[in-house]
Amino acid sequence: MFCLSLIEHTLRLPPHLLDLPLHLAIRGELEALFLDKVIANLGLCVSVYDIQEIGKGFIFPGDGASTYTVLFRLIMFRPFVGEVIAAKLKESDANGLRLSLGFFEDIYVPVHLMPNPSHLKADPVNSWVWEYEGQSFPIDGTDEIRFQVQSIKYPSIPVEEEKPASPSVEQGKHPNPSSVEKAKPPNRLPVEQEKQSKPFAPMVITGSLDADGLGPISWW
């Protein structure tokens, strides 16, 4: 679930940190830069493990900060496909489950990877129930839930497309109302759809409960 990644980075050290020991100043800047950040194909940075090498510093013309080439290792959260992890229930709806590890909450179990057969019980709150040999086993968040990692994705950051600007009117001339198109209001999503849209997640884990030993630990 956790692994070490060796990284080389060119780091700018601000002048106000030059009175600190070099190793401590660089470590603080690395933590501010990488901690709790997702690096594509490497995972979520949990901590700076160590600094292996600090190159000679140099100063660019007109810049009061020194720049160093640093070789260091990060502790990354990057589970492998097939790994079994225990998490807590965060949300339950018609699309499946959302699980949380405390420090990472973008873990989803879709409907087709739920225990079979399962159904959603909406009273009094949304909860999934597994039916097995005439007995009902709810997933209500009381116990930790074991899931198996099916995939890890690093979605690209969404970029809004710029709309072409409206034709400008020549200075000093009045536009002909019949020849000028009326400005259209920007396209907006309905209020309900905006509320239901998920915030962007740079790292998404898909899990499965459809195997022996998976699900709430009280089942087994």
Side-chain angles (χ1 to χ4, degrees):
M1 182 162 58
F2 297 98
C3 57
L4 291 176
S5 293
L6 182 64
I7 296 177
E8 184 180 80
H9 182 70
T10 301
L11 182 70
R12 180 182 182 274
L13 198 62
H16 70 275
L17 297 177
L18 296 179
D19 60 335
L20 298 175
L22 182 60
H23 189 276
L24 293 180
I26 288 180
R27 186 181 183 91
E29 286 298 289
L30 291 176
E31 289 177 346
L33 186 62
F34 290 99
L35 202 61
D36 294 331
K37 305 294 193 308
V38 171
I39 303 176
N41 300 320
L42 290 182
L44 172 68
C45 178
V46 177
S47 176
V48 176
Y49 184 72
D50 63 5
I51 299 175
Q52 295 196 337
E53 183 181 338
I54 300 175
K56 294 183 179 180
F58 55 92
I59 299 177
F60 289 105
D63 189 2
S66 56
T67 302
Y68 298 88
T69 299
V70 186
L71 188 67
F72 57 97
R73 290 188 293 178
L74 299 176
I75 300 177
M76 309 296 294
F77 167 67
R78 186 177 72 243
F80 57 86
V81 174
E83 183 175 2
V84 176
I85 304 174
K88 297 290 289 185
L89 178 65
K90 182 174 178 62
E91 294 179 8
S92 181
D93 57 24
N95 296 319
L97 305 178
R98 183 182 181 186
L99 307 180
S100 171
L101 295 173
F103 62 91
F104 185 81
E105 298 184 340
D106 292 307
I107 304 170
Y108 297 92
V109 181
V111 175
H112 67 278
L113 294 177
M114 296 288 291
N116 189 26
S118 297
H119 67 274
L120 181 65
K121 183 179 179 182
D123 186 25
V125 294
N126 289 335
S127 62
W128 282 87
V129 179
W130 175 39
E131 301 290 346
Y132 180 72
E133 294 185 352
Q135 297 185 11
S136 298
F137 298 89
I139 305 176
D140 53 12
T142 304
D143 302 312
E144 286 191 329
I145 300 172
R146 293 194 189 100
F147 70 95
Q148 187 175 44
V149 178
Q150 295 294 304
S151 67
I152 304 174
K153 296 182 180 179
Y154 301 91
S156 301
I157 299 176
V159 179
E160 295 184 0
E161 296 183 358
E162 295 184 359
K163 296 183 179 180
S166 58
S168 58
V169 180
E170 294 183 11
Q171 189 175 5
K173 294 184 179 181
H174 297 284
N176 184 357
S178 61
S179 62
V180 178
E181 295 182 358
K182 294 183 179 180
K184 297 181 180 179
N187 295 329
R188 295 185 60 86
L189 295 173
V191 176
E192 294 182 358
Q193 189 173 349
E194 285 186 348
K195 291 181 179 179
Q196 294 176 359
S197 60
K198 297 178 182 178
F200 172 73
M203 178 179 175
V204 178
I205 296 176
T206 300
S208 171
L209 303 185
D210 193 15
D212 291 343
L214 302 180
I217 57 176
S218 60
W219 289 2
W220 311 99

